[in-house]
Amino acid sequence: MGIEATSWPEPAALDDAVAALRAARIDYRTDLRGGRTPVPLFPSSARLASAIEHLSGALYPRRIGDFAGPESQEDGFVADRLALGLDVLRGEIAKELAYWQDETATPFDPEQPELITRLFAATLGDIRRLIDADVEAAFLGDPAARSVDEILICYPGAIAVRYHRIAHELHALGAPIVARIISEIANSRTGIDIHPGATIGPSFFIDHGTGVVIGETAIIGARAKLYQHVTLGARSPLGLTHVTPRERYARHPVLEDDVTIYAGTTILGRVTIGRGATIGGNVWLLEDVPPGSVVTQPAARVADRDTADALRAALSGRNP
């Protein structure tokens, strides 16, 4: 006996779902957007991921771009990857500007996407040099590294910082949504969350990296080193307190040159960690640290036998 063919989803169920989604869209646009027309196309995460792959191939044609030809053909390969990446980037910037256009009475210049893209392209040489310095810092700082190429391709910290170097320039040139999407692509890939507005000096190394958070107004000097689960954050969410302009636009820590911060440390607010300071693991900081300081939490202690027995019993669910 044959199995009777069925149609799924049933037309009536599909129509009901479409109608419910239409009602939700109308409610959103009426309540939150004042009944305005639907927004234009939003920048695409998938297309921006493609653009970054092309641009990374242009930055490192042999190590990331997989170019294997003679050196005489290398510039041609780089030009092709740049053309692909910059064209996609220009299109996504155009989408962002169309989105922001609804928020301003002054129209953007039609050439603005091309201008931002052209200015960004002019920074690529400097971006490459910064990434080279970051990778070299990682190689010097991690005895487990076998080569700089391994770091560039494999290390999550190096990958996240590469994406940040690109996103930061786009953020500064007036494409904050495109920049933020790029930073979130890196976050989803590495577990490292660096806001594209953060200012980071050369030779920056994030070791291991999972769980690192660096806020928008953080400033990090040269040769800084961070371990996993470090947070450079703000003290309170905006909207919950009255804040001054300085507190709004200077919310995150400042790390001077040659600062090292070990795993699990949380530093909140516009505090300054002085040059050459070392912050130990699992430290909570809300105030400035003088240059050259070493900051640690209280040392762990060995429990006496009675205390240890009581603790084991509590952890196991037994009565002490």
Side-chain angles (χ1 to χ4, degrees):
M1 179 182 295
I3 299 175
E4 182 179 351
T6 60
S7 174
W8 179 256
E10 296 176 352
L14 189 61
D15 290 344
D16 288 345
V18 169
L21 288 171
R22 181 175 64 251
R25 290 197 306 272
I26 292 171
D27 288 345
Y28 173 81
R29 292 167 187 165
T30 300
D31 294 342
L32 298 182
R33 292 183 55 81
R36 286 179 285 178
T37 57
V39 298
L41 288 174
F42 202 73
S44 162
S45 177
R47 288 183 60 78
L48 285 169
S50 171
I52 296 305
E53 287 303 308
H54 287 308
L55 293 173
S56 295
L59 286 166
Y60 294 92
R62 295 184 183 273
R63 286 182 279 176
I64 296 178
D66 209 24
F67 174 72
E71 188 174 349
S72 61
Q73 297 177 10
E74 196 167 22
D75 282 350
F77 174 86
V78 169
D80 289 342
R81 296 300 292 268
L82 276 180
L84 291 169
L86 293 174
D87 184 59
V88 173
L89 186 62
R90 179 201 55 78
E92 300 311 298
I93 292 171
K95 292 179 186 177
E96 174 171 350
L97 295 180
Y99 174 81
W100 290 125
Q101 188 62 77
D102 198 35
E103 307 294 333
T104 178
T106 304
F108 289 111
D109 189 307
E111 302 301 316
Q112 190 76 357
E114 287 79 3
L115 175 61
I116 292 174
T117 306
R118 187 163 57 249
L119 292 172
F120 167 74
T123 70
L124 287 170
D126 291 335
I127 288 174
R128 162 73 197 236
R129 290 184 176 89
L130 281 169
I131 297 170
D132 285 346
D134 298 330
V135 171
E136 180 67 18
F139 184 70
L140 293 174
D142 184 3
R146 299 295 189 270
S147 71
V148 292
D149 296 331
E150 175 191 5
I151 292 166
L152 178 70
I153 301 301
C154 302
Y155 276 38
I159 293 168
V161 174
R162 168 162 49 94
Y163 276 60
H164 174 75
R165 297 299 188 190
I166 293 170
H168 182 70
E169 293 297 338
L170 291 165
H171 185 274
L173 288 168
I177 292 178
V178 165
R180 187 58 184 266
I181 291 172
I182 292 170
S183 74
E184 292 306 323
I185 294 169
N187 187 7
S188 66
R189 182 174 175 183
T190 66
I192 298 169
D193 182 0
I194 309 176
H195 193 286
T199 300
I200 300 177
S203 300
F204 181 52
F205 177 31
I206 301 176
D207 201 353
H208 304 295
T210 303
V212 167
V213 177
I214 301 174
E216 177 185 13
T217 65
I219 299 174
I220 300 175
R223 298 173 300 279
K225 183 176 183 179
L226 273 57
Y227 285 82
Q228 66 272 22
H229 295 288
V230 167
T231 296
L232 305 181
R235 295 195 186 183
S236 63
L238 293 176
L240 299 183
T241 60
H242 295 290
V243 295
T244 66
R246 182 184 184 279
E247 290 168 332
R248 183 177 184 88
Y249 295 107
R251 306 186 308 277
H252 300 93
V254 176
L255 276 55
E256 295 183 347
D257 295 346
D258 301 300
V259 167
T260 297
I261 303 178
Y262 282 92
T265 285
T266 297
I267 306 175
L268 301 180
R270 195 58 158 194
V271 300
T272 298
I273 309 302
R275 179 172 186 151
T278 298
I279 312 299
N282 298 314
V283 169
W284 173 277
L285 272 176
L286 300 175
E287 56 189 33
D288 293 348
V289 172
S293 299
V294 177
V295 180
T296 64
Q297 63 172 333
R301 65 182 181 85
V302 178
D304 58 51
R305 178 172 295 179
D306 289 342
T307 301
D309 288 344
L311 180 59
R312 290 191 189 99
L315 290 173
S316 66
R318 296 182 285 106
N319 291 325

